[in-house]
Amino acid sequence: MSIRLAQIFVWLVALALCVSGVSAKYKAKEKVVYIPGSGPGNVQLVADVLFPDPSERGNQTFPVIIFVNSWGVPEFEYLLRAGKFAEEGYVCVEYATRGWWFSGGEIDVAGQWDRLDGTAVVDWIVDNRQEFGANTSAIAFAGISYGAGISLEMAGFDPRVTTAVAMSGWANLSRNLYYQHSTSLHTVDTLVGIANSSGHPSPGLLKMYQDLVTHTDITAAMAYGNQRGAALVLKNLNWRKTPIFMSNNYLDRIFYPQEMLTFFEELQGPKYFLNNCGGHAMAEGIGLTDIHNYIWSKASMWLNYWLKGEQNGITSENPIRFQNEGYLFDPVYQEFSSWPAPTSELQWTQYTLLARGSSATGSLIATNESDTMMKAGARRSSSLQGPDETIFFTSEPPFFDGEGKQDNHAAFEGVFPSFPLNASRRFSISYVAQPFTQDTRICGSPTLTVGLTASNASFQLYAFLFDVPADASLTGAIVSDATLTRWGNTDAPTETYGPMRFRTMCHNFVQGHSLAIGFVLFARRYAPANTEDSLSVTLRYGGASVVNIPTVVL
């Protein structure tokens, strides 16, 4: 099927889906164009322009939304949404970045040429504003995934950009592809596979891929990734106080939601952040065809306020929200007035890891519980100090992170992968807290500091947080995870590592359930630093290993 026929097909589907019971203000028109890109080589960027019918608009001008394609997806992925925005009085330009589909050049991975191309797209709509009735003093960039990262960059790179909407994006590529020194093989294999099948990978992209999977030139890979992401333009964003709307998902295995939570903290201008159930781009992607999607509805309110001046209350709402019920199609959110949240809304509890001894699991003791136990003489302080305990490497660990179908069940149904916490004393170790005495909501990104001694300078530690029901099975459902990898580091054999950040979560523990944490030395998602059967890690106690949990004040 030719690109033109594919666009006609999707456009017809979009028109059918646009029948929502809400009358359009304008009839939307579409025009396919090629926009000159930046740099040498006469790069042309394929784009669709959707705009109010000139016969209906009179002398009016309309704000501009520039949509940037996702990784491996043609520019018309936003056709339904762009058509709806055009019907409501926007000029929408959706374009495919260089190297993808029918745009020229090689994939730049949100680098310098992509930023300059974004400026060229702005130049083009400024030059053609009369044809489309564009108000070029009100311009937004918007996108999902790859498009989200570039949209955030453009908000800080080009001063003509009024605001940005970034869904399932990132702020620093290195901190995601090499998060806590861990390379997700599934992620980089998938990204490069898509690039090879749907675009024209650049030598820089392919070299970064090889460096990450072989761990040969990490310095070069990090330098490449550090030049790609909104962290580069954070100072500009804060100096201009550029309004930013973001959305990310708990089960995103490509761009970690906890990284965007940190970026949200660093933004100093108007901002709004939705944290949702689902995997990468899942919640937002569904909204491309679901016209009542919560995330896109909030994004529309944001754009209407900042581009049209519509007083719709979006800036009076709590600016950060974590979905805690309803999953993909009926979301319910926990709201906070700011982030970090004030202690009146969110409190942190520190749990100390205690040795399991002859028991099936160790214990997680909250700070206040530990104090009470000491005063009551229930445990002597020596119990907190040891004995230290050792776990060993296996390529078949007794529990592992959600993959594929498991993540889908968690996203759509709230069914999380469950594992027995006492399956193996040799290859894993778990710690269980006292049951909650009331319904408890953990919301945010828990942290872990762990004291350990590794038998080899190269090792990996994988940690899980579990929801353990009130029965005798000691089976826990994984609600978050974190990984730490060391590659022949020069640290002393005994070190304290941390804080490691777990994936952002917002999970309801019902009364009687318990929080637990478990460790193994291998996760098949990540490139292992060491696969020797003799590899072991000894966990230290005496207060060296603690986990900090953010709990909502209900």
Side-chain angles (χ1 to χ4, degrees):
M1 181 183 290
S2 71
I3 189 69
R4 181 64 262 173
L5 289 176
Q7 287 180 306
I8 292 172
F9 173 78
V10 175
W11 180 238
L12 291 174
V13 173
L15 286 177
L17 290 171
C18 279
V19 181
S20 61
V22 179
S23 298
K25 296 179 181 178
Y26 304 95
K27 180 181 178 181
K29 303 289 286 185
E30 181 202 13
K31 182 176 182 179
V32 179
V33 300
Y34 282 86
I35 299 174
S38 59
N42 192 31
V43 170
Q44 298 288 307
L45 308 174
V46 65
D48 299 325
V49 186
L50 294 101
F51 53 100
D53 190 329
S55 67
E56 298 178 350
R57 71 182 186 224
N59 294 323
Q60 296 182 81
T61 59
F62 305 95
V64 177
I65 306 174
I66 298 173
F67 290 99
V68 188
N69 71 302
S70 300
W71 189 266
V73 184
E75 84 286 352
F76 55 80
E77 69 174 297
Y78 305 102
L79 204 52
L80 170 59
R81 281 290 166 186
K84 291 298 293 181
F85 276 115
E87 291 176 347
E88 294 301 310
Y90 284 93
V91 174
C92 298
V93 181
E94 46 178 7
Y95 76 99
T97 51
R98 63 171 54 217
W100 290 109
W101 293 87
F102 287 85
S103 288
E106 297 175 330
I107 299 167
D108 193 40
V109 199
Q112 175 187 6
W113 294 118
D114 277 325
R115 293 188 289 273
L116 291 173
D117 285 346
T119 289
V121 174
V122 175
D123 291 341
W124 182 88
I125 193 62
V126 169
D127 292 342
N128 293 274
R129 61 187 180 276
Q130 291 186 346
E131 177 182 354
F132 301 108
N135 173 10
T136 54
S137 65
I139 297 175
F141 267 75
I144 298 174
S145 183
Y146 188 52
I150 292 176
S151 293
L152 286 174
E153 287 185 339
M154 292 308 303
F157 184 72
D158 193 318
R160 294 171 295 181
V161 179
T162 306
T163 185
V165 170
M167 300 179 177
S168 282
W170 79 95
N172 178 290
L173 193 61
S174 294
R175 289 203 297 262
N176 286 272
L177 297 185
Y178 195 62
Y179 184 65
Q180 294 181 159
H181 305 283
S182 305
T183 299
S184 173
L185 293 176
H186 179 268
T187 293
V188 295
D189 285 347
T190 299
L191 292 177
V192 173
I194 293 172
N196 283 322
S197 63
S198 302
H200 305 283
S202 63
L205 167 59
L206 296 178
K207 183 180 186 304
M208 179 189 68
Y209 168 71
Q210 289 297 325
D211 289 341
L212 287 173
V213 298
T214 61
H215 207 265
T216 50
D217 192 354
I218 292 301
T219 299
M222 294 301 96
Y224 185 87
N226 287 337
Q227 294 301 310
R228 287 156 168 83
L232 272 177
V233 294
L234 179 62
K235 289 183 179 179
N236 290 347
L237 290 171
N238 288 337
W239 179 71
R240 293 177 54 212
K241 298 291 188 293
T242 307
I244 299 295
F245 180 100
M246 300 191 306
S247 170
N248 283 80
N249 306 320
Y250 302 140
L251 293 175
D252 195 329
R253 309 285 184 175
I254 300 176
F255 301 136
Y256 294 95
Q258 61 268 33
E259 284 296 293
M260 293 309 287
L261 199 58
T262 298
F263 183 69
F264 180 80
E265 292 180 24
E266 295 170 339
L267 289 171
Q268 297 174 6
K271 52 188 178 179
Y272 199 99
F273 192 17
L274 296 175
N275 295 269
N276 320 292
C277 297
H280 178 68
M282 187 179 290
E284 301 92 347
I286 288 173
L288 291 175
T289 56
D290 175 13
I291 58 176
H292 302 294
N293 178 266
Y294 180 89
I295 300 166
W296 279 93
S297 295
K298 290 297 181 182
S300 297
M301 291 176 65
W302 184 263
L303 292 169
N304 288 341
Y305 178 84
W306 289 105
L307 298 183
K308 291 185 173 182
E310 183 178 297
Q311 300 301 308
N312 52 27
I314 189 71
T315 56
S316 300
E317 295 182 359
N318 286 323
I320 182 165
R321 302 177 176 210
F322 296 79
Q323 187 181 352
N324 65 287
E325 291 180 16
Y327 304 99
L328 287 183
F329 293 105
D330 189 21
V332 178
Y333 287 82
Q334 171 69 49
E335 304 176 12
F336 296 99
S337 60
S338 61
W339 198 265
T343 56
S344 60
E345 299 174 3
L346 191 76
Q347 296 183 351
W348 287 81
T349 302
Q350 184 176 93
Y351 290 84
T352 301
L353 279 62
L354 268 65
R356 61 185 168 182
S358 60
S359 301
T361 66
S363 299
L364 278 180
I365 302 298
T367 301
N368 60 338
E369 293 174 341
S370 178
D371 292 342
T372 301
M373 291 169 65
M374 294 302 138
K375 291 176 182 178
R379 288 181 186 260
R380 291 195 297 267
S381 60
S382 59
S383 298
L384 289 169
Q385 296 173 356
D388 296 344
E389 294 176 301
T390 301
I391 55 175
F392 292 84
F393 174 85
T394 176
S395 60
E396 297 294 334
F399 35 79
F400 48 88
D401 65 325
E403 295 179 348
K405 184 182 294 185
Q406 290 179 324
D407 275 357
N408 290 338
H409 282 312
F412 286 93
E413 305 166 27
V415 178
F416 297 89
S418 297
F419 300 92
L421 303 186
N422 56 350
S424 171
R425 289 183 64 85
R426 179 175 176 82
F427 300 122
S428 67
I429 188 168
S430 303
Y431 306 83
V432 184
Q434 291 295 310
F436 290 110
T437 58
Q438 62 184 11
D439 291 350
T440 300
R441 182 172 299 154
I442 294 176
C443 214
S445 295
T447 64
L448 168 70
T449 300
V450 58
L452 59 83
T453 301
S455 64
N456 190 289
S458 296
F459 67 93
Q460 183 179 76
L461 184 71
Y462 205 51
F464 302 87
L465 291 181
F466 296 93
D467 180 342
V468 183
D471 56 34
S473 68
L474 275 178
T475 295
I478 294 175
V479 294
S480 189
D481 55 74
T483 187
L484 170 74
T485 307
R486 286 294 181 265
W487 302 83
N489 63 79
T490 58
D491 295 341
T494 299
E495 284 291 332
T496 298
Y497 294 93
M500 296 166 55
R501 297 188 72 192
F502 285 87
R503 273 190 300 108
T504 303
M505 59 182 288
C506 196
H507 181 74
N508 297 327
F509 288 77
V510 301
Q511 180 180 351
H513 282 216
S514 299
L515 172 71
I517 187 171
F519 298 98
V520 294
L521 302 187
F522 176 76
R524 56 184 175 227
R525 179 179 296 278
Y526 293 95
N530 193 328
T531 58
E532 297 176 0
D533 291 339
S534 60
L535 176 65
S536 67
V537 165
T538 299
L539 290 119
R540 295 187 290 113
Y541 300 115
S545 301
V546 296
V547 59
N548 290 282
I549 302 295
T551 304
V552 177
V553 179
L554 298 174

